[in-house]
Amino acid sequence: MKIVFFDSGVGGLTVLQEACRRLPAESYVYYADTLNVPYGVHSKEEVYGFVTACIDDILRNHEVKAIVIACNTATSAAVDDLRSRYSFPIIGMEPAVKPALESVRESGRRVLVTATPLTLKEHKFQTLLGRLESPGQVDTLGLPGLVAFAERGMLDGPEVIAYLREQFAPFELERYGAIVLGCTHFVFFRDAIRQVVPRHIVLTDGNAGTVNQLIRLLDPKRAERSGSAEPAGDAADIVFMSSKGTEDERRRLADSFEAWRRQAADA
Ligand code: DGL
């Protein structure tokens, strides 16, 4: 039985890497909907249709233990409906706003949530904001350009830096204490973002929290133990798939994963 990681493209590889490190003995499928990426500029209904078509494709090929929707956009558009449609556990993602607010508790600085336009406008995120103690401390910024850069394998360089400077220009960044990377594609740009924002700013993402939730659902006893002497390793058993279904795409995903795994190990 496989644990499936699903995303529109390469972004979810950053979450898969965290899962492989924490659960090295599991077998994984990584599925990218590269026919339809980017999701963030589509409607909720379109994204729901894309995701269910992909999950049906996965189920034709694999026995599934759980699916991690390693995509904030697909989660906000589809997770509730997916849970009523399928019987296996489905783990979703949402922008890590609470840890970001926690990190600015003492300084009182502001939090900037970056995500795709669809995530930011969807009900799920608006509800999350509405439940916060201090929603007025939070601003939002859509960065769809980073999804396009990541799909082209451009994780740094002058074009990326120019894009980030332009997008952050309207914000007085000295007043911010944390930036939330609310899209799994954005996690690739941690180093690039660090180059353009003040040093005191903390970057938060939902990757570790998502893997914690996966562990809680699969093995609650292990979840209780985790944090103590949890062995960390690297799973080798990963099948890469995409909605394009080509060998080139499969190889691109596998290569991006290896590159990210090496980078994360060096960090
Ligand atoms: N990786 C995705 C997310 O976490 C979506 C990127 C996209 O397809 O627009 O939101």
Side-chain angles (χ1 to χ4, degrees):
M1 297 265 271
K2 306 276 191 186
I3 300 176
V4 177
F5 277 72
F6 173 81
D7 183 31
S8 56
V10 293
L13 293 170
T14 65
V15 198
L16 174 65
Q17 182 270 332
E18 177 71 13
C20 290
R21 203 178 64 75
R22 304 273 306 279
L23 298 170
E26 295 287 347
S27 295
Y28 297 93
V29 171
Y30 186 84
Y31 192 106
D33 188 8
T34 49
L35 270 181
N36 296 304
V37 67
Y39 277 3
V41 296
H42 284 277
S43 71
K44 177 181 177 169
E45 292 70 27
E46 283 171 323
V47 171
Y48 180 68
F50 297 152
V51 177
T52 50
C54 293
I55 295 184
D56 290 343
D57 190 19
I58 295 163
L59 294 176
R60 278 192 291 276
N61 291 283
H62 296 283
E63 280 201 61
V64 169
K65 192 191 259 193
I67 291 193
V68 178
I69 308 292
C71 174
N72 296 261
T73 312
T75 300
S76 62
V79 81
D80 296 335
D81 292 321
L82 294 177
R83 288 193 178 122
S84 59
R85 182 174 169 142
Y86 302 102
S87 56
F88 42 78
I90 297 180
I91 294 100
M93 294 191 75
E94 65 183 14
V97 183
K98 284 182 198 150
L101 278 171
E102 198 51 51
S103 75
V104 296
R105 189 179 283 275
E106 275 183 22
S107 68
R109 285 190 158 112
R110 302 187 65 74
V111 167
L112 182 60
V113 181
T114 64
T116 67
L118 185 61
T119 299
L120 294 176
K121 81 167 186 237
E122 263 314 307
H123 178 72
K124 201 166 180 17
F125 179 66
Q126 293 302 326
T127 309
L128 172 72
L129 278 189
R131 289 209 188 106
L132 298 174
E133 256 173 53
S134 49
Q137 208 176 343
V138 178
D139 296 306
T140 61
L141 171 65
L143 290 175
L146 289 186
V147 178
F149 283 129
E151 291 301 317
R152 282 155 59 200
M154 287 176 64
L155 307 183
D156 211 335
E159 260 189 79
V160 171
I161 296 297
Y163 174 77
L164 288 169
R165 283 198 204 289
E166 188 188 324
Q167 297 300 312
F168 286 130
F171 299 90
E172 222 182 296
L173 287 178
E174 284 300 333
R175 296 175 60 218
Y176 289 80
I179 294 178
V180 179
L181 307 178
C183 167
T184 50
H185 281 73
F186 299 177
V187 176
F188 288 118
F189 297 93
R190 272 181 170 272
D191 291 348
I193 292 170
R194 286 205 187 289
Q195 288 176 51
V196 302
V197 302
R199 290 172 74 96
H200 69 265
I201 289 185
V202 171
L203 304 181
T204 67
D205 66 59
N207 288 9
T210 302
V211 174
N212 287 342
Q213 176 64 0
L214 171 69
I215 295 172
R216 265 195 294 276
L217 282 175
L218 291 181
D219 185 353
K221 290 213 177 93
R222 185 195 172 106
E224 274 169 32
R225 289 195 308 270
S226 83
S228 48
E230 196 169 346
D234 265 340
D237 184 14
I238 309 169
V239 176
F240 293 93
M241 294 174 75
S242 81
S243 52
K244 277 194 183 156
T246 62
E247 178 54 25
D248 275 1
E249 275 294 90
R250 200 201 60 71
R251 191 162 305 127
R252 182 174 76 95
L253 292 168
D255 290 349
S256 304
F257 181 69
E258 271 318 309
W260 177 249
R261 181 145 79 171
R262 276 196 302 274
Q263 192 176 319
D266 290 348

